[in-house]
Amino acid sequence: MGQDQDTLSVVALCQSERVLWMPDGSPHSPRFKDRYRSRSGGLAQAMTVFLAGAGLPVGWRGRNRFSVLETGFGLGLNFLCTWAAWEADPQRCERLQFASVEAFPVSAADLVRSARNAGPEDQPECSIALRLPVLAEQLAQVWQGLSPGIHQWRFAGGRVQLTLAVGEVQATLQDLDCQADAVYLDGFSPALNPQMWSAQTLHLVAQHCRPGATLATYTVARSVRERLRQLGFSVEKCPGLPPKRDRLQAVLRP
Ligand SMILES: C[S@@+](CC[C@H](N)C(=O)[O-])C[C@H]1O[C@@H](n2cnc3c(N)ncnc32)[C@H](O)[C@@H]1O
């Protein structure tokens, strides 16, 4: 109840969410008292936990259209990495659709700062890392006036579409028109933010999935695994990105 009221009042005010930048360059949420991304860096997490976990880029090859659904847009890094990986893949699908929900949008300046800090500093030749700030600038240009509701933008000559549903996860998922081929669950830790991982939220996510949809996340919390199984997903624990031992990937059984 307190969290819902908080959500509505902050969204209604359309203020940017405060991000706390730590001395090591990592972004934290004062509201949720959690980090926006893994200690190993945002790029590593996006590529290993989310893209690889959801079977990308292989999954979109040969497809006309491919849709990703994410819970928790945050600093947009998963979107930017997915876009950059799509751009770098000669066998990419014709159109990439990315839909995400977010109750507390951050500022455009934080989106850009996050993309510049995504790493890895020791591998500056990494083409994805180099593209992130460029793509983030394009996102920052349209990132304004984020009132509650659905916002949609097109990039890459219309071939990449971002749909951002601003609002509380369950209400926005109900309004979202999306049939996902892949899902990223990225709503902070289930212990600190149970609403993003509740049975009702995951049920709504599953309703937006095509049969055979893949799903990826960093948590292997038993409650999350059990809920996903009950919803028809085959769930697998995989070696995680250090310092986490495990990550989770799943497929919605046809
Ligand atoms: C770990 S961050 C997401 C990081 C993001 N995917 C990225 O690539 O930068 C989790 C996000 O979930 C959002 N969130 C948390 N609880 C929410 C809720 N109940 N409804 C909608 N969004 C929520 C937070 O505001 C935060 O931006």
Side-chain angles (χ1 to χ4, degrees):
M1 174 72 178
Q3 180 71 53
D4 284 354
Q5 276 182 336
D6 211 7
T7 303
L8 291 174
S9 58
V10 171
V11 167
L13 284 171
C14 291
Q15 286 174 344
S16 296
E17 177 72 346
R18 190 162 80 90
V19 177
L20 202 57
W21 290 92
M22 306 308 276
D24 67 358
S26 65
H28 276 239
S29 163
R31 179 188 304 276
F32 290 97
K33 298 184 174 35
D34 201 359
R35 49 180 59 243
Y36 275 88
R37 51 207 191 208
S38 155
R39 284 191 181 83
S40 299
L43 176 61
Q45 175 175 280
M47 300 309 290
T48 308
V49 175
F50 291 107
L51 276 99
L56 298 175
V58 174
W60 63 42
R61 291 187 177 151
R63 298 280 302 269
N64 181 35
R65 191 171 55 183
F66 191 90
S67 298
V68 180
L69 171 64
E70 177 186 59
T71 52
F73 189 76
L75 291 153
L77 195 64
N78 288 339
F79 166 63
L80 295 172
C81 289
T82 305
W83 178 4
W86 174 86
E87 195 184 62
D89 183 4
Q91 297 178 62
R92 60 185 171 267
C93 52
E94 197 53 38
R95 290 178 187 279
L96 175 66
Q97 299 180 324
F98 194 103
S100 189
V101 302
E102 178 56 59
F104 305 103
V106 300
S107 68
D110 280 326
L111 292 179
V112 173
R113 181 171 179 173
S114 151
R116 290 201 183 119
N117 277 345
E121 287 178 5
D122 55 336
Q123 295 169 34
E125 73 283 6
C126 171
S127 64
I128 303 279
L130 291 175
R131 282 299 286 162
L132 294 178
V134 180
L135 303 183
E137 289 290 351
Q138 293 183 38
L139 177 59
Q141 278 173 19
V142 298
W143 189 265
Q144 43 190 287
L146 289 180
S147 50
I150 308 281
H151 301 260
Q152 208 162 64
W153 303 283
R154 289 175 201 277
F155 306 96
R159 291 178 68 191
V160 174
Q161 176 182 292
L162 171 62
T163 303
L164 182 71
V166 177
E168 171 60 31
V169 65
Q170 291 182 12
T172 51
L173 278 176
Q174 277 164 15
D175 287 348
L176 204 60
D177 179 16
C178 162
Q179 281 292 294
D181 298 295
V183 175
Y184 304 162
L185 298 180
D186 194 7
F188 291 128
S189 115
L192 295 170
N193 193 22
Q195 173 79 345
M196 287 292 256
W197 309 90
S198 69
Q200 178 62 11
T201 299
L202 296 179
H203 176 72
L204 288 166
V205 166
Q207 284 188 329
H208 284 292
C209 288
R210 291 186 208 281
T214 54
L215 179 146
T217 186
Y218 40 74
T219 186
V220 289
R222 180 187 294 269
S223 59
V224 173
R225 284 184 285 139
E226 282 175 0
R227 282 168 196 157
L228 289 173
R229 281 199 185 103
Q230 281 164 12
L231 289 164
F233 286 89
S234 301
V235 177
E236 188 187 358
K237 262 194 206 180
C238 302
L241 185 68
K244 283 193 174 265
R245 198 176 47 187
D246 305 302
R247 64 182 169 87
L248 192 145
Q249 57 188 45
V251 178
L252 185 59
R253 288 188 295 271

